[in-house]
Amino acid sequence: MAHWFHRNPLKATAPVSFNFYGVAGSPSANKICNDLRTNRARLLEMFTDVTCNAEIMKNATDAYFSLLQGFITALDGTTQENKMRFIQNFKWTDTLQGNTPSAQQDAVFELVSMAFNVALWYTKFASRLAGKENVTEAEAKDVHRSLKVAAGIFKTLKDVHIPRLITPAEKGRDLEPRAMDTYIIQCQAEAQEVTIARAIELKHNATLIAALAFETANFYQKADHTLNTLEPECSGKWRKYLELKQHFYMAYAYCYNGQTLLASDKCGEAIRSLQEAEKCYSRAEALCKEYRQTKGPGSTAKPSEQLFFLKLGGLIKNTLEKCQRENGFIYFHKVPAEAPDLELKASYGLAEPIAFELPPLSEQCTPEVYATFDLTKGAKNDKAKPKEAEVKPVKEPDLKPQKDTGCVIS
C-alpha cells in the first residue's frame, strides 16, 4: 500500500559545530562537544537512510540526547538553569512553512525540534513498510508500533518539553498546540487503520470492524477540525487528506453496520446503512481528486488507486444488492428515510501512544566536567566565530510503489 499515507516533509536544520572557543576548558569538555557534533550529524543522516530501522534510529537518538541533556539538566546540584542551555543557536524549518527557519538560542528548542523529526521518521518508516508488496505479520506489527511510538513522542513533547521553551512557538509552526495535536491524532488514527485491516483479513465480527472504523473516522474528523484555524495555504492539502480518510472510514463503518443489521434481520435499516456507506464512499472518491489537486507541503498520497480503497466500493455495492434482494423476497421492510445513528464504541483495538522517555544522562556529563565549562571566556572570541551555515532542505528518498496486494497484512 505505497502512497496510502500523507506525509509532511522532514524539518531541515543548519549544521551545528558545538565549537565554544575557549568555553570548553578541559579535554573531557572538548570531547563532549566533539561527540555532540558527531552524534547530531549521524542522527540527521539516519533520517534519510533507507536502510535505517527502528533499532538503529533509537540507538542514534539515545546517543545524541544523552549528551544534549548535559546542556539542559542542572549538573551543579542546584535547581537553577544549566549554564550551557543558552550558549548555542539552533535553526530549524517547520513542516508547513517551507524553507523559512525558526531560530532559538536554547538547547530545549534543539531537543524538541530533533525529537519532532524523530517522530516524523517513525511515521515515514511505517509508510515505507506498509508500501512493501507482501507485508508480513511482523512487519505489520512494526507499522502499528512505529505509529504509536510517533504519537507518544509528539504527545510527550507537547505535554512536557515544549512548555519549557522560553520563546513560545509562533502560530502555524510545528511546535504550537494545533499542529502537535493533529500529528498525535493522525498517528493514532493510522495505527488503528492497521488494526482494521487485520480485523478484515481475519474476518472478525462485523460489529467490531464497524466500531473500529467509526472510532477511526472520528479521529480523522477531530484532526481535521484541529487545523481549521490554520492558514489554508499551509494546511489545506493536509486537511483534504484527513477529510478523505474520515469519509472513507465512515463508509466502512456504515458498510459493516449494515452487515450487522442484516444478520439481526433488520433488512430495511441495513439497506439504509449501506446507502449511507455509498454516499460516504462517493464523497471520499471526490475528496481524493480534490486532495491531488490541492497544493501544499508534503508527499501526495494516492489512496483511491489502492486495492484496499477499491475493494470497499465493491463490498458496499455487493452487500447493498444482497440486502435489496433479501428484502424483496423475505423481509419486505420499509427503508428508513434517515441513516441510522452509529452509536458504536470499540472495546478492542484502539491505539494508545507509547510513552516516550529520554535516555539517561551520558556518563561523560559529570559535575566535574561541567565545572570546566567557563562562559566568561567565550565573549573574547565572538569576532572569530564563523558565519552560521544556511538551512538546506532535506532531500528525502522516494517511496517507490510496489505491486499492491490490497492487504496491509498477509
Side-chain angles (χ1 to χ4, degrees):
M1 286 172 60
H3 303 303
W4 179 252
F5 301 116
H6 172 89
R7 290 292 175 259
N8 288 328
L10 286 165
K11 294 165 75 70
T13 182
V16 179
S17 67
F18 292 101
N19 289 331
F20 293 137
Y21 304 98
V23 171
S26 69
S28 296
N30 275 314
K31 185 175 189 314
I32 287 174
C33 295
N34 290 335
D35 288 350
L36 275 167
R37 180 175 62 253
T38 303
N39 287 329
R40 185 182 198 265
R42 181 172 184 271
L43 179 52
L44 292 172
E45 286 176 5
M46 290 301 101
F47 291 145
T48 55
D49 186 343
V50 293
T51 65
C52 182
N53 58 32
E55 183 181 1
I56 294 171
M57 177 54 65
K58 185 175 188 326
N59 290 339
T61 303
D62 286 355
Y64 182 52
F65 285 167
S66 66
L67 286 168
L68 186 64
Q69 285 181 90
F71 284 11
I72 297 171
T73 307
L75 300 177
D76 56 4
T78 71
T79 57
Q80 293 181 341
E81 290 287 1
N82 187 307
K83 66 185 178 184
M84 299 297 290
R85 175 176 169 180
F86 304 109
I87 193 173
Q88 176 68 56
N89 191 47
F90 298 96
K91 283 185 179 180
W92 284 91
T93 62
D94 293 87
T95 57
L96 302 178
Q97 301 291 338
N99 207 43
T100 304
S102 299
Q104 290 195 35
Q105 196 153 322
D106 186 349
V108 173
F109 179 67
E110 167 72 356
L111 173 70
V112 295
S113 299
M114 187 68 83
F116 188 102
N117 244 17
V118 172
L120 278 182
W121 178 87
Y122 274 101
T123 69
K124 290 170 184 279
F125 177 64
S127 288
R128 198 162 70 240
L129 280 181
K132 295 181 68 174
E133 186 171 335
N134 291 301
V135 181
T136 65
E137 184 173 337
E139 287 169 335
K141 286 180 179 177
D142 283 342
V143 173
H144 191 249
R145 179 177 173 78
S146 295
L147 291 165
K148 293 196 295 180
V149 167
I153 295 173
F154 286 130
K155 189 174 190 306
T156 302
L157 293 180
K158 176 178 178 283
D159 294 345
V160 179
H161 300 292
I162 292 174
R164 297 180 63 193
L165 289 171
I166 304 298
T167 306
E170 298 172 23
K171 289 182 179 180
R173 298 288 181 178
D174 290 336
L175 305 183
E176 68 125 309
R178 291 173 297 181
M180 294 302 298
D181 282 336
T182 304
Y183 276 113
I184 294 165
I185 299 164
Q186 180 180 335
C187 289
Q188 288 180 271
E190 290 177 348
Q192 285 177 199
E193 290 193 58
V194 181
T195 307
I196 292 168
R198 179 167 178 79
I200 293 168
E201 192 87 6
L202 298 181
K203 296 180 170 58
H204 276 290
N205 185 289
T207 305
L208 171 63
I209 296 171
L212 276 171
F214 181 62
E215 298 268 19
T216 303
N218 286 340
F219 264 137
Y220 278 118
Q221 183 181 48
K222 184 179 177 183
D224 176 39
H225 288 175
T226 303
L227 290 178
N228 64 8
T229 53
L230 280 183
E231 293 297 324
E233 55 265 26
C234 64
S235 66
K237 190 175 187 69
W238 195 6
R239 289 193 64 193
K240 286 292 181 188
Y241 165 78
L242 298 170
E243 194 180 350
L244 76 86
K245 283 292 186 79
Q246 177 210 339
H247 283 84
F248 178 69
Y249 281 102
M250 282 302 292
Y252 252 117
Y254 277 115
C255 178
Y256 278 87
N257 184 59
Q259 292 184 20
T260 302
L261 290 168
L262 180 60
S264 303
D265 295 323
K266 298 177 180 178
C267 197
E269 292 178 44
I271 290 172
R272 186 63 189 88
S273 190
L274 284 151
Q275 287 173 341
E276 196 65 21
E278 261 191 336
K279 183 178 172 184
C280 291
Y281 186 77
S282 295
R283 180 64 183 136
E285 285 184 310
L287 281 164
C288 284
K289 293 177 183 176
E290 291 176 28
Y291 165 73
R292 284 197 301 270
Q293 293 165 359
T294 303
K295 293 181 179 179
S299 60
T300 300
K302 300 172 184 176
S304 61
E305 297 177 9
Q306 313 300 320
L307 284 177
F308 187 65
F309 189 99
L310 297 169
K311 278 182 177 180
L312 176 58
L315 179 64
I316 294 168
K317 181 176 180 290
N318 293 337
T319 311
L320 177 57
E321 288 176 354
K322 177 186 175 182
C323 288
Q324 289 169 332
R325 284 197 305 271
E326 298 294 303
N327 204 41
F329 279 105
I330 303 170
Y331 296 102
F332 303 103
H333 289 169
K334 184 179 179 181
V335 177
E338 297 294 324
D341 288 330
L342 293 180
E343 296 177 359
L344 304 170
K345 193 74 180 172
S347 304
Y348 309 97
L350 295 178
E352 289 297 325
I354 294 174
F356 170 65
E357 293 183 2
L358 289 171
L361 183 68
S362 170
E363 293 178 357
Q364 293 175 242
C365 302
T366 64
E368 293 75 22
V369 175
Y370 178 74
T372 66
F373 284 99
D374 186 353
L375 298 187
T376 64
K377 295 183 179 178
K380 298 175 185 177
N381 297 297
D382 277 352
K383 293 180 181 177
K385 288 184 182 180
K387 289 184 179 179
E388 291 185 6
E390 292 302 310
V391 179
K392 295 181 180 179
V394 179
K395 188 174 182 181
E396 299 187 41
D398 290 331
L399 183 65
K400 294 180 181 177
Q402 299 184 40
K403 184 180 177 183
D404 185 14
T405 60
C407 306
V408 168
I409 301 163
S410 57

